Amino acid sequence: MAAYLSMGEAHRRITDYLARFSDAVASQDVASLKPLLSLSSASPSLVSLADALNLLQDSNRLIKQSDRYSQFAEILAPLFRCLQNYRLHNLVDAYPAYEKAANAFIQEFRNWDSAWALEALYVIAYEIRVLAERADRELSANGKMPEKLKAAGSFLMKVFGVLAGKGPKRVGALYVTCQLFKVYFKLGTVHLCRSVIRSIETARIFDFEEFPQRDKVTYMYYTGRLEVYNENFTAADQKLSYALAHCNPHSEANIRMILKYLIPVKLSIGILPKDWLLERYNLVEYSNIVQALKRGDLRLLRSALEEHEDRFLRSGVYLVLEKLELQVYQRLLKKIYIIQKQKEPTKAHQMKLEVIIKALKWLEIDMDLDEVECIVAILIHKNLMKGYFAHKSKVVVLSKQDPFPKLTGKPVNA
Amino acid sequence: MERRQNHHQQPQNLRRNPSSSSSSSSSHSSNHRPRYRPPNRAGGDARPHSREDPYLDSGDAAAGGRPRSLARPMRAHASEAAAGSSIGVRERQEQHRRDQDREDDRDCRELASVVGTCPHMCPVGEMAQRERLRDLAVFERLHGNPAKTSPELAVKKFCRTISTRDVQLLDIRPFSVLGSTLDYLMSLMNSTPEPFETVHDFIFDRTRSIRQDLSMQNIVDKRVIHMYEKMVNFHVTSHHKLRLRSSGPDSFNISSLHHLNMEQLAKVLTSLYNLYDLNRDHSSTHKNEPEYRSLYVLLCLNSESLPEGERLSLWFRRVPTPVIKSKEMSFARRILRYFRTGNYSRFFSTIAAEASYLQYCALEPYIDKVRALAVLCINNGGYKLHPYPIAHLSNLLMMEESEVESFCNACGLETSLDEQGNKVLPTKQPAFEHPKAGYGKYGFSGLENICRGREAEENV
C-alpha cells in the first residue's frame, strides 16, 4: 500500500463501486458490469478498491447502508473479501470467496428473464478457472494438495446446468463448456469431458450453429484433440480442420495450437504439410518427420522422435507420430523398387530381402531376415504394399499394378 | 509475490455448508473418547461420475473420500494471535479476514491423524462375531474347525458399508500391524494346498481391508509405498495365474474373478502412482517406480486403458522424465511400439530378452493376440508354394512346436508335412479366424529365464 489513503477516500471508493454495480444491474448494462467482476484484469480501479477495502475492514456496514446495495450483499460481501485477499496475494483464500460471490450471482442470473448478463457470466466463468489455477499453484508451492481447480470444475458444471435450458441463455453453454474443457485438460481428468460433450451434441435444446463462432472454434479444437488421443483420425481431421478454417486468420497463436495437433493427424492419413507452413507457424519440430516420410528415412524419423521426445510426449502426439514408421518403411521400399525399375525393369517387382537389409544398414539400422520378413508381411497386411513374400527364397514379389497404394486420406488399416 | 506459510488453527467445529458443490469436507471434534469420524461425501451433487478417490484407494468404503495434504507439522496459530502487540496491523487484518473466510469455507485444511490400536490382524470383536456366525475362511480355521479361529489366523475382512458415524480405534490396525498382516497374506501365495482361486479370493479381500485401514488413518507417506507395491505384485501375479486356470467347468467364475482383479489392480496402481508423486523429493524417482509405472503401459497395450483409466497418450504426459528414460519404461515403450506397428518379430524376442516377471505377467494377454496377427499375416502374405516351416514359427512366436500346431488349428488353419517330413503351415488358406477367447493356454518359451530372473531378484 504505497500512497497514503485516507479513510474518507476509502469510503468513497467503496461506495462508488457499490453504486456502479447496482446501477449496472438496474439498467441491465452488461458492459459496465463486466469490469467490476474481472479480477484478473488487475485494473487500477479494482486495485485501488482493494486497497480501500483493506484499510476500511468493515465494508459490510457500507453494503448494508442502503437497500440499493444490500440486495446484492450475498454477491458483494464475498466479492470484497476476495478482492482483499487477492490484493495481498493470498490466492488460496481468494478463490473460495470468489466462488461464493459467483454462486450468489448465478442465483440472481437465474431470476433474470433475458440473457442480458451473459457476458458477465462469461467473465465469472473465466475468472473462476484462472483464479483456481493460481490458487493451486500457490498450494503446490507450499507443499499442499492442489484442490481448487477441481472445485472450479464442479462449479462450472453447475453453471452449465443453469444455462442448459430453453431460452436465450442457452447460447452461453458452449463458452462454459470450453472453460470446462480447459479445466479438465489441465487436471488430466479428460474423461469428464464426455458428459458435457454428450449434452452439447445430443440435447435437443442446443443447435450447434447458433453458438458464437469463437466458441465453436474452441470447442472443435478441444474435441478434435480428444479424437487425436483416441486415434479416431477421420473425426480428428474433421474437427481440427473446422477449427482451422473458422479460426481468426490473424490469431497466429491459435492457428499454431490447432496445427500442432492437425499435422500429426494429416501425416497419419498420408497428407504432408508444406515446409513454409511449418516455418510460418514455428512448428519446426515436425520438419524432420516430414522429411523422413518423403525420403523413407527411418533413421531420421527415429532421431526426430528422440530429439523432441519430451515435447511430443507432453502434447500427447508421440504415439501417433511413432506409428508413422510403417509409412516410412513403405516409402523406403518404394524407393528401392524405383531404383530397381531403372536398372532392370523386367525384374523390378522382385525384391530380395537382402537388398532391404542392405538399404537399412546404410541408414545405420540393423535388421535381421526375420524382422524384414515381418515388416514386409505387415505392410502387405495393412495394404501399404501389394504382393506376397516367398519364405524359402527370401524374396518379396510385388504386384505389377500399383504395388504401393497411396493412403488417399484414410488412416492405415488397423 | 510474497511466499507465505498457511498457518492454520484447528477449529473445533467446522460448519459445513450443505449446498456446497465442491469436494467433501471433514470435521474433527474434540471428544474425550478418541473417536474418528470419516469424512462425509457431499451428497448426490451434480458432479459427473468420478467416484474414485484420486489420491488414495480406500477399497470403495465411505472412508477416505478426499485428497489429503502431506502430513506436515501444522504450526499452532494461537500463540501468534495471542502475541498481540508485536504483530502489525497487517497481520491482524489478515487474521480477521481469515476468520471470516473460515466461517464459510467449506474446504478442509487439515485432517487429524488417527492411529488405530488393534494389535492383531483381526479386531477382537470381529473375530468373536465371525466365530459365532461360522463366517471363517478356510485359512482362518483353527485345526479346520469352522467355528474357531485364533489371532494368528484371523484377518480382518473388508467391509463395504462402514458406518460413517463411528469406528472404534480398537478396530483399526496401526501401520506396523498392517505391515505384518500383509507379509502374512503374501506368504500364503505359495504355501497352501488350496486351489489358487481360493487363495486369490482371500488375499484379494483381506488386502482391500488393509488399504481401507491405511486410508482411514491417512497414511500416505513413503512407508506405504512398499506395501502398495506388494499388493500390485499380488494382483499382477493373479492376472497371470487366473488366466491359466480359466478353462474348464469353473471358467465363467474364474473369468469374472479375472475381471474384478483387473479393476482392483487399476485402483491399486493409481494409488501407488499418487503415492510416488506425493512423496517425491528433488524430482527423483523411487527405487521401483520405473518398473511399476511400466506395468501400466504393458497392461494397456491395445490403447484401451484400464477400467476408468486414462488413454496412454494422456497418461504419458504426467510421467516424470526420469521414469520415461528408465530401462523398464524404455522396454515397455518399445513393446508398445512393436505391438502397435505389428512388429511381431521384435515383440517376442524383446520380451524374452528383457521382460521381468511382473512385466511378463502384465502383458501376457497380448502375447496370443500378436501370435494370431503373425499367423494371419503369414497366411495372407506368404507365397502359396512355400509353406511356412512350423519350426521357424516356433522360434518366431516363442512357442513349442506342438503348441504352434494347436494354435494354428485354433485359428482355423491346417498344418501339414512337406516332402522331408517337416511340419509346415500352408499359406493362403481362406478360413482364418481369431482364436476364441479362452480356447487354450499356450506357454512362452522364454518363461523359465524370466522366472529365474525373478527368483534372483527376490533373493537380493
Side-chain angles (χ1 to χ4, degrees):
Chain A
M1 306 192 209
Y4 169 73
L5 180 60
S6 74
M7 289 295 268
E9 171 65 13
H11 205 274
R12 190 196 65 76
R13 287 183 194 172
I14 296 171
T15 337
D16 189 61
Y17 178 93
L18 292 173
R20 276 188 290 150
F21 188 94
S22 50
D23 285 347
V25 176
S27 51
Q28 301 200 339
D29 177 2
V30 76
S32 303
L33 184 57
K34 276 168 32 175
L36 302 178
L37 302 164
S38 177
L39 214 66
S40 60
S41 67
S43 66
S45 71
L46 280 181
V47 170
S48 61
L49 173 65
D51 287 339
L53 290 166
N54 277 328
L55 178 64
L56 198 66
Q57 284 301 318
D58 191 15
S59 47
N60 281 339
R61 185 176 50 86
L62 285 177
I63 297 177
K64 295 203 177 87
Q65 236 176 26
S66 148
D67 279 342
R68 257 174 91 202
Y69 313 146
S70 63
Q71 58 175 319
F72 302 119
E74 302 268 304
I75 302 175
L76 293 166
L79 190 57
F80 281 173
R81 268 209 312 284
C82 170
L83 275 165
Q84 289 176 264
N85 278 307
Y86 191 85
R87 180 78 175 110
L88 295 167
H89 305 290
N90 182 358
L91 278 314
V92 177
D93 291 330
Y95 173 78
Y98 195 89
E99 203 195 282
K100 192 147 199 267
N103 201 31
F105 183 89
I106 297 180
Q107 306 310 322
E108 286 296 317
F109 180 85
R110 262 192 169 133
N111 296 332
W112 297 324
D113 278 324
S114 80
W116 73 266
L118 208 49
E119 285 182 34
L121 194 68
Y122 292 165
V123 168
I124 286 183
Y126 174 83
E127 295 292 330
I128 281 278
R129 177 177 65 87
V130 165
L131 205 51
E133 283 178 16
R134 292 183 59 184
D136 273 358
R137 277 205 286 277
E138 192 177 287
L139 283 170
S140 293
N142 291 337
K144 299 259 174 85
M145 198 53 45
E147 36 158 45
K148 303 299 186 199
L149 195 55
K150 190 160 183 249
S154 302
F155 181 80
L156 287 171
M157 274 303 274
K158 206 157 89 161
V159 177
F160 181 87
V162 167
L163 294 173
K166 290 184 251 193
K169 294 175 190 165
R170 69 183 188 277
V171 296
L174 203 62
Y175 182 86
V176 176
T177 301
C178 293
Q179 294 301 314
L180 269 169
F181 283 162
K182 294 185 193 199
V183 169
Y184 292 148
F185 269 71
K186 186 110 194 205
L187 285 174
T189 53
V190 153
H191 59 283
L192 294 177
C193 295
R194 248 179 277 151
S195 73
V196 255
I197 293 177
R198 226 190 345 254
S199 294
I200 293 283
E201 296 190 358
T202 64
R204 268 187 281 154
I205 39 165
F206 291 133
D207 176 5
F208 194 72
E209 293 314 312
E210 273 182 341
F211 291 122
Q213 183 79 304
R214 170 201 65 178
D215 296 340
K216 284 194 281 196
V217 169
T218 312
Y219 180 84
M220 285 298 196
Y221 166 74
Y222 279 104
T223 49
R225 276 178 70 180
L226 286 177
E227 301 287 7
V228 175
Y229 294 146
N230 294 338
E231 306 211 347
N232 302 330
F233 293 134
T234 318
D237 187 15
Q238 266 168 11
K239 298 189 177 176
L240 291 172
S241 297
Y242 178 102
L244 188 65
H246 294 90
C247 182
N248 179 352
H250 300 298
S251 175
E252 306 237 329
N254 286 349
I255 294 182
R256 181 176 186 280
M257 274 166 43
I258 299 172
L259 284 174
K260 198 162 81 150
Y261 293 94
L262 186 56
I263 289 176
V265 171
K266 291 284 196 191
L267 291 177
S268 300
I269 58 180
I271 299 173
L272 273 49
K274 302 271 191 271
D275 285 334
W276 67 260
L277 186 74
L278 299 179
E279 277 163 28
R280 172 101 167 72
Y281 292 102
N282 190 22
L283 288 163
V284 290
E285 63 263 31
Y286 291 122
S287 301
N288 280 348
I289 297 188
V290 173
Q291 272 294 81
L293 279 166
K294 282 191 193 157
R295 303 208 302 233
D297 188 343
L298 192 61
R299 176 181 47 179
L300 188 58
L301 176 71
R302 290 192 179 164
S303 71
L305 283 175
E306 204 185 310
E307 187 185 343
H308 299 287
E309 182 180 74
D310 223 48
R311 193 201 299 235
F312 290 146
L313 279 173
R314 300 300 159 205
S315 61
V317 297
Y318 187 93
L319 294 181
V320 174
L321 295 171
E322 211 180 35
K323 224 168 159 183
L324 295 173
E325 198 172 272
L326 288 175
Q327 286 160 249
V328 174
Y329 280 123
Q330 183 203 39
R331 181 71 193 147
L332 177 66
L333 294 188
K334 186 170 182 179
K335 276 175 98 168
I336 297 176
Y337 169 70
I338 291 173
I339 292 174
Q340 283 189 182
K341 226 174 169 187
Q342 285 167 352
K343 283 212 274 192
E344 240 179 317
T346 48
K347 292 255 211 76
H349 62 285
Q350 286 180 26
M351 203 184 293
K352 294 211 177 94
L353 296 188
E354 278 298 336
V355 171
I356 303 176
I357 293 184
K358 224 184 285 183
L360 288 166
K361 251 217 170 71
W362 255 4
L363 293 170
E364 294 172 6
I365 296 184
D366 257 321
M367 239 188 235
D368 62 13
L369 268 174
D370 274 341
E371 194 179 352
V372 173
E373 184 187 82
C374 165
I375 299 291
V376 161
I378 280 289
L379 289 176
I380 294 174
H381 169 66
K382 295 199 185 237
N383 209 33
L384 285 168
M385 206 163 79
K386 288 227 203 93
Y388 60 84
F389 65 91
H391 177 74
K392 255 202 285 202
S393 349
K394 310 198 197 315
V395 150
V396 177
V397 178
L398 296 167
S399 157
K400 296 245 172 85
Q401 271 179 344
D402 191 25
F404 296 99
K406 282 204 142 128
L407 281 173
T408 59
K410 279 202 295 251
V412 177
N413 281 346
Chain B
M1 202 225 263
E2 284 183 346
R3 253 321 124 96
R4 289 171 43 231
Q5 292 291 358
N6 287 327
H7 304 306
H8 300 299
Q9 253 173 337
Q10 266 244 31
Q12 290 314 314
N13 287 300
L14 275 179
R15 200 160 34 95
R16 245 165 301 126
N17 186 339
S19 66
S20 136
S21 65
S22 62
S23 7
S24 54
S25 47
S26 157
S27 74
H28 171 72
S29 67
S30 64
N31 294 331
H32 302 293
R33 251 184 320 157
R35 285 264 189 92
Y36 170 77
R37 247 185 267 143
N40 294 326
R41 286 193 182 277
D45 62 23
R47 239 178 316 147
H49 357 101
S50 186
R51 325 162 5 253
E52 73 234 21
D53 176 343
Y55 297 104
L56 254 203
D57 157 48
S58 55
D60 274 334
R66 271 193 86 247
R68 299 313 208 252
S69 47
L70 274 177
R72 289 235 181 149
M74 295 294 172
R75 280 185 243 140
H77 199 49
S79 54
E80 284 181 64
S85 56
S86 60
I87 296 181
V89 172
R90 178 111 155 247
E91 279 76 6
R92 267 204 286 272
Q93 285 171 352
E94 287 164 21
Q95 173 59 25
H96 179 62
R97 190 172 37 260
R98 216 192 309 284
D99 286 347
Q100 271 186 316
D101 280 357
R102 191 167 295 115
E103 267 186 19
D104 40 38
D105 186 4
R106 300 161 298 245
D107 294 320
C108 165
R109 307 296 182 103
E110 73 281 325
L111 286 175
S113 277
V114 162
V115 181
T117 57
C118 172
H120 305 300
M121 295 196 292
C122 185
V124 166
E126 179 182 316
M127 257 200 318
Q129 182 186 49
R130 286 204 281 132
E131 278 181 329
R132 260 197 327 272
L133 298 173
R134 301 173 88 101
D135 177 19
L136 295 171
V138 72
F139 307 99
E140 297 174 309
R141 297 176 190 170
L142 192 56
H143 307 308
N145 183 344
K148 198 82 186 82
T149 183
S150 77
E152 288 76 37
L153 296 176
V155 184
K156 183 176 174 192
K157 261 181 127 167
F158 171 69
C159 180
R160 189 175 286 277
T161 51
I162 283 202
S163 148
T164 52
R165 263 170 313 135
D166 34 46
V167 172
Q168 302 273 17
L169 280 183
L170 205 52
D171 290 331
I172 304 180
R173 297 161 290 179
F175 176 77
S176 54
V177 175
L178 290 171
S180 46
T181 307
L182 183 62
D183 287 338
Y184 166 70
L185 289 172
M186 294 294 107
S187 74
L188 287 177
M189 284 275 275
N190 296 318
S191 66
T192 98
E194 299 292 331
F196 183 72
E197 306 85 81
T198 317
V199 181
H200 166 85
D201 221 20
F202 182 68
I203 301 182
F204 183 102
D205 180 82
R206 300 310 193 260
T207 49
R208 221 172 165 190
S209 168
I210 290 180
R211 294 201 296 283
Q212 199 171 34
D213 277 8
L214 284 171
S215 167
M216 283 199 279
Q217 297 172 91
N218 193 26
I219 306 179
V220 292
D221 55 78
K222 274 197 164 103
R223 303 175 290 168
V224 188
I225 287 182
H226 200 48
M227 288 181 69
Y228 269 78
E229 287 176 352
K230 287 191 198 163
M231 291 191 267
V232 170
N233 290 358
F234 160 67
H235 286 291
V236 171
T237 313
S238 285
H239 190 57
H240 163 65
K241 288 191 169 164
L242 286 176
R243 242 188 117 245
L244 287 176
R245 299 182 58 79
S246 56
S247 51
D250 234 352
S251 62
F252 174 73
N253 201 21
I254 294 187
S255 96
S256 77
L257 273 185
H258 193 262
H259 177 76
L260 291 171
N261 184 55
M262 263 302 257
E263 255 182 14
Q264 264 331 284
L265 173 55
K267 288 205 173 103
V268 181
L269 267 181
T270 308
S271 298
L272 178 59
Y273 298 154
N274 287 326
L275 284 170
Y276 285 141
D277 285 333
L278 268 180
N279 288 292
R280 195 180 303 286
D281 32 40
H282 320 299
S283 63
S284 63
T285 61
H286 300 268
K287 177 158 156 285
N288 298 323
E289 185 176 356
E291 183 175 15
Y292 285 91
R293 293 264 188 189
S294 75
L295 294 179
Y296 189 92
V297 177
L298 298 169
L299 288 163
C300 303
L301 280 187
N302 68 350
S303 86
E304 274 144 32
S305 45
L306 292 171
E308 300 212 14
E310 276 184 291
R311 296 277 169 188
L312 278 179
S313 280
L314 287 166
W315 184 83
F316 272 121
R317 292 201 308 173
R318 298 185 299 148
V319 177
T321 308
V323 174
I324 299 257
K325 307 259 181 237
S326 69
K327 165 175 82 102
E328 293 84 355
M329 188 54 92
S330 154
F331 164 77
R333 288 174 60 200
R334 272 176 292 130
I335 292 293
L336 180 66
R337 188 168 92 220
Y338 302 145
F339 183 85
R340 283 158 54 87
T341 52
N343 188 337
Y344 49 82
S345 167
R346 287 247 180 181
F347 183 79
F348 293 112
S349 58
T350 310
I351 294 175
E354 297 180 39
S356 73
Y357 180 71
L358 280 181
Q359 288 173 325
Y360 170 81
C361 290
L363 59 80
E364 195 187 31
Y366 297 105
I367 287 181
D368 283 344
K369 289 201 168 71
V370 178
R371 286 171 174 160
L373 174 70
V375 170
L376 168 62
C377 287
I378 289 173
N379 182 51
N380 265 10
Y383 183 35
K384 197 155 182 181
L385 297 183
H386 287 187
Y388 209 86
I390 297 284
H392 196 80
L393 211 44
S394 152
N395 284 339
L396 205 55
L397 306 182
M398 307 287 301
M399 278 169 110
E400 301 290 312
E401 282 190 33
S402 54
E403 289 198 324
V404 174
E405 269 186 279
S406 148
F407 187 79
C408 290
N409 294 334
C411 294
L413 302 179
E414 289 174 5
T415 60
S416 69
L417 294 174
D418 67 6
E419 295 108 30
Q420 284 85 43
N422 299 316
K423 299 212 187 98
V424 288
L425 174 69
T427 59
K428 300 291 192 203
Q429 294 186 49
F432 177 90
E433 59 179 16
H434 283 280
K436 301 196 181 24
Y439 182 97
K441 293 297 157 267
Y442 308 100
F444 186 82
S445 306
L447 190 52
E448 300 106 44
N449 285 339
I450 295 175
C451 288
R452 233 175 285 142
R454 173 209 201 187
E455 279 153 28
E457 278 164 27
E458 285 182 351
N459 290 334
V460 164

